[in-house]
Amino acid sequence: QVHLVESGGGLVQAGGSLRLSCAASGRSVSRYGMGWFRQAQGKEREFVIGVSRSGGSTSSADSVKGRFTLSKDNAKNTMYLQMNSLKPEDTAVYYCAARSTASYDSIWMFAAGYEYWGQGTQVTVSS
């Protein structure tokens, strides 16, 4: 199984940028479809952006399109989330997740489909 640890969260002003990292250990990230989810206080966990096992395809929620970018570095066994033009509504705990899949091209947008989760990192955007 794979163990995931997020880092890079913090407090940033609206319009600013942050880069989150998700470091994997135990197994290579190339074996998994992966994604970022977030959960704001009092709300359900929601899909932010995901990447296929091959790394060739990504899909993001409409709310972050054009602002957030996901990348995966198989050599470092790490996934990144670059967040630009941050808004107060982006404030949440951000989680990375991994899903075992035989498909190299599919992206899963439902939290229930992911088996492995990090502990989360808090992102707070002030207005």
Side-chain angles (χ1 to χ4, degrees):
Q1 62 181 28
V2 65
H3 181 62
L4 305 173
V5 177
E6 302 97 335
S7 61
L11 174 64
V12 63
Q13 287 190 333
S17 297
L18 278 176
R19 188 176 82 153
L20 305 184
S21 299
C22 173
S25 60
R27 285 191 169 180
S28 170
V29 295
S30 64
R31 301 172 66 104
Y32 301 94
M34 300 188 72
W36 287 95
F37 288 77
R38 66 187 181 187
Q39 187 165 18
Q41 195 168 6
K43 295 188 177 181
E44 292 187 357
R45 191 168 298 189
E46 65 174 0
F47 172 79
V48 177
I49 191 166
V51 63
S52 60
R53 178 177 170 181
S54 71
S57 301
T58 60
S59 180
S60 59
D62 288 343
S63 58
V64 306
K65 270 188 171 68
R67 300 188 299 122
F68 289 13
T69 304
L70 183 155
S71 60
K72 194 170 69 161
D73 187 332
N74 288 345
K76 294 185 178 180
N77 221 29
T78 301
M79 178 175 67
Y80 302 96
L81 178 62
Q82 178 66 44
M83 305 186 293
N84 299 327
S85 302
L86 282 160
K87 305 175 181 180
E89 51 263 44
D90 294 319
T91 295
V93 177
Y94 283 70
Y95 300 90
C96 67
R99 177 174 183 265
S100 299
T101 176
S103 169
Y104 280 84
D105 300 315
S106 64
I107 299 170
W108 197 251
M109 294 184 281
F110 303 97
Y114 287 81
E115 303 139 80
Y116 306 103
W117 292 84
Q119 82 290 350
T121 185
Q122 176 71 45
V123 171
T124 302
V125 184
S126 64
S127 57

